[in-house]
PDB file of all heavy atoms in Angstrom:
ATOM      1  N   LYS A  43       5.961  13.459  22.793  1.00 98.00           N
ATOM      2  CA  LYS A  43       6.695  14.477  21.999  1.00 98.00           C
ATOM      3  C   LYS A  43       8.038  13.884  21.498  1.00 98.00           C
ATOM      4  O   LYS A  43       8.517  14.218  20.402  1.00 98.00           O
ATOM      5  CB  LYS A  43       7.062  15.663  22.934  1.00 98.00           C
ATOM      6  CG  LYS A  43       5.823  16.517  23.164  1.00 98.00           C
ATOM      7  CD  LYS A  43       6.086  17.638  24.235  1.00 98.00           C
ATOM      8  CE  LYS A  43       4.800  18.446  24.538  1.00 98.00           C
ATOM      9  NZ  LYS A  43       4.987  19.322  25.662  1.00 98.00           N
ATOM     10  N   VAL A  45       8.515  10.822  20.513  1.00 97.00           N
ATOM     11  CA  VAL A  45       8.200   9.962  19.330  1.00 97.00           C
ATOM     12  C   VAL A  45       7.922  10.914  18.140  1.00 97.00           C
ATOM     13  O   VAL A  45       8.441  10.606  17.039  1.00 97.00           O
ATOM     14  CB  VAL A  45       6.991   9.110  19.592  1.00 97.00           C
ATOM     15  CG1 VAL A  45       6.633   8.309  18.316  1.00 97.00           C
ATOM     16  CG2 VAL A  45       7.240   8.108  20.741  1.00 97.00           C
ATOM     17  N   ALA A  52      13.281  12.018  10.908  1.00 94.00           N
ATOM     18  CA  ALA A  52      13.484  11.110   9.800  1.00 94.00           C
ATOM     19  C   ALA A  52      12.636  11.617   8.624  1.00 94.00           C
ATOM     20  O   ALA A  52      12.317  10.830   7.752  1.00 94.00           O
ATOM     21  CB  ALA A  52      13.064   9.649  10.205  1.00 94.00           C
ATOM     22  N   ALA A  75     -10.488  15.291  18.932  1.00 98.00           N
ATOM     23  CA  ALA A  75      -9.231  15.875  18.521  1.00 98.00           C
ATOM     24  C   ALA A  75      -8.833  15.314  17.154  1.00 98.00           C
ATOM     25  O   ALA A  75      -8.246  16.134  16.340  1.00 98.00           O
ATOM     26  CB  ALA A  75      -8.163  15.491  19.558  1.00 98.00           C
ATOM     27  N   ILE A  87      -5.320   2.045  14.191  1.00 98.00           N
ATOM     28  CA  ILE A  87      -4.726   0.886  14.854  1.00 98.00           C
ATOM     29  C   ILE A  87      -4.944   0.981  16.328  1.00 98.00           C
ATOM     30  O   ILE A  87      -4.382   1.839  17.025  1.00 98.00           O
ATOM     31  CB  ILE A  87      -3.195   0.788  14.568  1.00 98.00           C
ATOM     32  CG1 ILE A  87      -2.951   0.688  13.011  1.00 98.00           C
ATOM     33  CG2 ILE A  87      -2.561  -0.444  15.264  1.00 98.00           C
ATOM     34  CD1 ILE A  87      -1.470   0.709  12.616  1.00 98.00           C
ATOM     35  N   ASN A  89      -4.091  -0.135  19.481  1.00 97.00           N
ATOM     36  CA  ASN A  89      -2.914  -0.937  20.043  1.00 97.00           C
ATOM     37  C   ASN A  89      -2.795  -0.744  21.557  1.00 97.00           C
ATOM     38  O   ASN A  89      -2.223  -1.606  22.205  1.00 97.00           O
ATOM     39  CB  ASN A  89      -1.660  -0.435  19.304  1.00 97.00           C
ATOM     40  CG  ASN A  89      -0.423  -0.888  20.038  1.00 97.00           C
ATOM     41  OD1 ASN A  89      -0.062  -2.031  19.980  1.00 97.00           O
ATOM     42  ND2 ASN A  89       0.291   0.008  20.688  1.00 97.00           N
ATOM     43  N   GLY A  98      -1.516 -12.387  40.925  1.00 71.00           N
ATOM     44  CA  GLY A  98      -1.753 -11.791  42.220  1.00 71.00           C
ATOM     45  C   GLY A  98      -2.035 -10.289  42.188  1.00 71.00           C
ATOM     46  O   GLY A  98      -2.196  -9.678  43.282  1.00 71.00           O
ATOM     47  N   LEU A 110     -10.523  -2.513  34.947  1.00 97.00           N
ATOM     48  CA  LEU A 110      -9.582  -1.697  34.199  1.00 97.00           C
ATOM     49  C   LEU A 110      -9.154  -2.344  32.906  1.00 97.00           C
ATOM     50  O   LEU A 110      -9.124  -1.629  31.863  1.00 97.00           O
ATOM     51  CB  LEU A 110      -8.350  -1.452  35.058  1.00 97.00           C
ATOM     52  CG  LEU A 110      -7.286  -0.517  34.405  1.00 97.00           C
ATOM     53  CD1 LEU A 110      -7.900   0.874  34.269  1.00 97.00           C
ATOM     54  CD2 LEU A 110      -6.064  -0.447  35.235  1.00 97.00           C
ATOM     55  N   TYR A 116     -10.414  -3.235  25.766  1.00 98.00           N
ATOM     56  CA  TYR A 116     -11.555  -3.518  24.922  1.00 98.00           C
ATOM     57  C   TYR A 116     -12.453  -2.296  24.724  1.00 98.00           C
ATOM     58  O   TYR A 116     -12.659  -1.780  23.611  1.00 98.00           O
ATOM     59  CB  TYR A 116     -12.357  -4.715  25.392  1.00 98.00           C
ATOM     60  CG  TYR A 116     -13.731  -4.744  24.704  1.00 98.00           C
ATOM     61  CD1 TYR A 116     -13.822  -4.982  23.324  1.00 98.00           C
ATOM     62  CD2 TYR A 116     -14.879  -4.415  25.417  1.00 98.00           C
ATOM     63  CE1 TYR A 116     -15.044  -4.918  22.681  1.00 98.00           C
ATOM     64  CE2 TYR A 116     -16.077  -4.362  24.771  1.00 98.00           C
ATOM     65  CZ  TYR A 116     -16.188  -4.644  23.410  1.00 98.00           C
ATOM     66  OH  TYR A 116     -17.343  -4.552  22.805  1.00 98.00           O
ATOM     67  N   LEU A 121     -15.337   2.194  21.773  1.00 98.00           N
ATOM     68  CA  LEU A 121     -15.937   3.539  21.669  1.00 98.00           C
ATOM     69  C   LEU A 121     -15.161   4.414  20.648  1.00 98.00           C
ATOM     70  O   LEU A 121     -15.796   5.074  19.829  1.00 98.00           O
ATOM     71  CB  LEU A 121     -15.888   4.196  23.079  1.00 98.00           C
ATOM     72  CG  LEU A 121     -16.356   5.678  23.135  1.00 98.00           C
ATOM     73  CD1 LEU A 121     -17.798   5.772  22.576  1.00 98.00           C
ATOM     74  CD2 LEU A 121     -16.242   6.172  24.522  1.00 98.00           C
ATOM     75  N   LEU A 126     -15.081   7.169  15.381  1.00 98.00           N
ATOM     76  CA  LEU A 126     -14.327   7.522  14.211  1.00 98.00           C
ATOM     77  C   LEU A 126     -14.849   6.855  12.930  1.00 98.00           C
ATOM     78  O   LEU A 126     -14.296   7.101  11.836  1.00 98.00           O
ATOM     79  CB  LEU A 126     -12.857   7.207  14.401  1.00 98.00           C
ATOM     80  CG  LEU A 126     -12.151   8.031  15.499  1.00 98.00           C
ATOM     81  CD1 LEU A 126     -10.780   7.607  15.704  1.00 98.00           C
ATOM     82  CD2 LEU A 126     -12.227   9.580  15.131  1.00 98.00           C
ATOM     83  N   THR A 134     -12.512   5.882   2.412  1.00 98.00           N
ATOM     84  CA  THR A 134     -12.295   4.492   1.884  1.00 98.00           C
ATOM     85  C   THR A 134     -11.430   4.493   0.601  1.00 98.00           C
ATOM     86  O   THR A 134     -11.438   5.485  -0.082  1.00 98.00           O
ATOM     87  CB  THR A 134     -13.705   3.943   1.555  1.00 98.00           C
ATOM     88  OG1 THR A 134     -14.374   4.798   0.600  1.00 98.00           O
ATOM     89  CG2 THR A 134     -14.521   3.680   2.746  1.00 98.00           C
ATOM     90  N   ALA A 144      -2.967 -13.766  21.755  1.00 92.00           N
ATOM     91  CA  ALA A 144      -3.275 -15.239  21.679  1.00 92.00           C
ATOM     92  C   ALA A 144      -3.782 -15.601  23.118  1.00 92.00           C
ATOM     93  O   ALA A 144      -4.408 -16.719  23.253  1.00 92.00           O
ATOM     94  CB  ALA A 144      -2.020 -16.077  21.339  1.00 92.00           C
ATOM     95  N   ILE A 149     -15.628 -14.747  27.716  1.00 98.00           N
ATOM     96  CA  ILE A 149     -16.190 -13.742  28.575  1.00 98.00           C
ATOM     97  C   ILE A 149     -17.365 -14.369  29.311  1.00 98.00           C
ATOM     98  O   ILE A 149     -18.233 -15.042  28.764  1.00 98.00           O
ATOM     99  CB  ILE A 149     -16.731 -12.550  27.759  1.00 98.00           C
ATOM    100  CG1 ILE A 149     -15.583 -11.850  27.062  1.00 98.00           C
ATOM    101  CG2 ILE A 149     -17.495 -11.561  28.643  1.00 98.00           C
ATOM    102  CD1 ILE A 149     -15.974 -10.883  25.944  1.00 98.00           C
ATOM    103  N   THR A 177     -14.236  -7.380  16.489  1.00 98.00           N
ATOM    104  CA  THR A 177     -13.677  -7.337  15.156  1.00 98.00           C
ATOM    105  C   THR A 177     -14.584  -8.047  14.131  1.00 98.00           C
ATOM    106  O   THR A 177     -14.929  -7.566  13.112  1.00 98.00           O
ATOM    107  CB  THR A 177     -12.244  -7.955  15.128  1.00 98.00           C
ATOM    108  OG1 THR A 177     -11.384  -7.239  15.956  1.00 98.00           O
ATOM    109  CG2 THR A 177     -11.717  -8.014  13.696  1.00 98.00           C
ATOM    110  N   LEU A 180     -17.978  -6.274  13.917  1.00 98.00           N
ATOM    111  CA  LEU A 180     -17.922  -4.998  13.190  1.00 98.00           C
ATOM    112  C   LEU A 180     -17.718  -5.278  11.660  1.00 98.00           C
ATOM    113  O   LEU A 180     -18.257  -4.519  10.816  1.00 98.00           O
ATOM    114  CB  LEU A 180     -16.801  -4.137  13.707  1.00 98.00           C
ATOM    115  CG  LEU A 180     -16.604  -2.735  13.062  1.00 98.00           C
ATOM    116  CD1 LEU A 180     -17.846  -1.896  13.262  1.00 98.00           C
ATOM    117  CD2 LEU A 180     -15.365  -2.049  13.644  1.00 98.00           C
ATOM    118  N   THR A 202       8.569  -5.606  25.915  1.00 60.00           N
ATOM    119  CA  THR A 202       7.867  -4.336  26.186  1.00 60.00           C
ATOM    120  C   THR A 202       7.730  -4.160  27.701  1.00 60.00           C
ATOM    121  O   THR A 202       7.938  -5.055  28.497  1.00 60.00           O
ATOM    122  CB  THR A 202       6.397  -4.472  25.620  1.00 60.00           C
ATOM    123  OG1 THR A 202       5.751  -5.530  26.277  1.00 60.00           O
ATOM    124  CG2 THR A 202       6.419  -4.686  24.117  1.00 60.00           C
ATOM    125  N   SER A 215      10.789  -9.913  19.771  1.00 77.00           N
ATOM    126  CA  SER A 215      11.179  -8.492  19.710  1.00 77.00           C
ATOM    127  C   SER A 215       9.937  -7.681  19.271  1.00 77.00           C
ATOM    128  O   SER A 215       9.007  -8.204  18.681  1.00 77.00           O
ATOM    129  CB  SER A 215      12.272  -8.339  18.611  1.00 77.00           C
ATOM    130  OG  SER A 215      11.755  -8.606  17.353  1.00 77.00           O
ATOM    131  N   THR A 218       9.391  -7.800  15.552  1.00 90.00           N
ATOM    132  CA  THR A 218       8.610  -8.867  15.001  1.00 90.00           C
ATOM    133  C   THR A 218       7.111  -8.529  15.115  1.00 90.00           C
ATOM    134  O   THR A 218       6.316  -8.792  14.185  1.00 90.00           O
ATOM    135  CB  THR A 218       8.923 -10.191  15.754  1.00 90.00           C
ATOM    136  OG1 THR A 218      10.309 -10.518  15.597  1.00 90.00           O
ATOM    137  CG2 THR A 218       8.060 -11.331  15.292  1.00 90.00           C
ATOM    138  N   LEU A 224       1.914  -4.198  10.880  1.00 98.00           N
ATOM    139  CA  LEU A 224       1.975  -3.449   9.571  1.00 98.00           C
ATOM    140  C   LEU A 224       1.445  -4.320   8.440  1.00 98.00           C
ATOM    141  O   LEU A 224       0.921  -3.841   7.453  1.00 98.00           O
ATOM    142  CB  LEU A 224       3.434  -3.108   9.326  1.00 98.00           C
ATOM    143  CG  LEU A 224       3.944  -1.934  10.248  1.00 98.00           C
ATOM    144  CD1 LEU A 224       5.460  -1.792  10.163  1.00 98.00           C
ATOM    145  CD2 LEU A 224       3.260  -0.640   9.900  1.00 98.00           C
ATOM    146  N   ALA A 231      -2.225  -7.787  -0.034  1.00 97.00           N
ATOM    147  CA  ALA A 231      -2.904  -9.063  -0.020  1.00 97.00           C
ATOM    148  C   ALA A 231      -4.169  -9.050   0.796  1.00 97.00           C
ATOM    149  O   ALA A 231      -5.057  -9.956   0.693  1.00 97.00           O
ATOM    150  CB  ALA A 231      -1.927 -10.131   0.483  1.00 97.00           C
ATOM    151  N   LEU A 243       1.994 -13.353  11.333  1.00 96.00           N
ATOM    152  CA  LEU A 243       1.750 -13.134   9.918  1.00 96.00           C
ATOM    153  C   LEU A 243       0.789 -14.098   9.343  1.00 96.00           C
ATOM    154  O   LEU A 243       0.466 -13.998   8.149  1.00 96.00           O
ATOM    155  CB  LEU A 243       3.120 -13.138   9.168  1.00 96.00           C
ATOM    156  CG  LEU A 243       4.069 -11.986   9.516  1.00 96.00           C
ATOM    157  CD1 LEU A 243       5.415 -12.366   8.898  1.00 96.00           C
ATOM    158  CD2 LEU A 243       3.578 -10.634   9.043  1.00 96.00           C
ATOM    159  N   ARG A 244       0.318 -15.037  10.089  1.00 97.00           N
ATOM    160  CA  ARG A 244      -0.573 -16.134   9.569  1.00 97.00           C
ATOM    161  C   ARG A 244      -1.936 -15.966  10.040  1.00 97.00           C
ATOM    162  O   ARG A 244      -2.209 -15.777  11.224  1.00 97.00           O
ATOM    163  CB  ARG A 244       0.013 -17.496  10.018  1.00 97.00           C
ATOM    164  CG  ARG A 244       1.364 -17.874   9.447  1.00 97.00           C
ATOM    165  CD  ARG A 244       1.830 -19.224  10.049  1.00 97.00           C
ATOM    166  NE  ARG A 244       2.065 -19.142  11.488  1.00 97.00           N
ATOM    167  CZ  ARG A 244       1.230 -19.686  12.381  1.00 97.00           C
ATOM    168  NH1 ARG A 244       0.184 -20.327  12.043  1.00 97.00           N
ATOM    169  NH2 ARG A 244       1.567 -19.556  13.708  1.00 97.00           N
ATOM    170  N   ASP A 249     -10.409 -18.074  20.006  1.00 98.00           N
ATOM    171  CA  ASP A 249     -11.216 -18.862  20.883  1.00 98.00           C
ATOM    172  C   ASP A 249     -12.625 -19.044  20.255  1.00 98.00           C
ATOM    173  O   ASP A 249     -13.154 -18.119  19.584  1.00 98.00           O
ATOM    174  CB  ASP A 249     -11.342 -18.173  22.217  1.00 98.00           C
ATOM    175  CG  ASP A 249     -12.142 -18.903  23.256  1.00 98.00           C
ATOM    176  OD1 ASP A 249     -13.438 -18.704  23.283  1.00 98.00           O
ATOM    177  OD2 ASP A 249     -11.583 -19.714  23.998  1.00 98.00           O
TER     178      ASP A 249
END
Side-chain angles (χ1 to χ4, degrees):
K43 286 172 185 172
V45 177
I87 302 176
N89 166 73
L110 186 66
Y116 163 68
L121 177 57
L126 293 176
T134 55
I149 298 166
T177 298
L180 185 59
T202 63
S215 69
T218 299
L224 289 167
L243 296 169
R244 295 175 296 106
D249 180 272

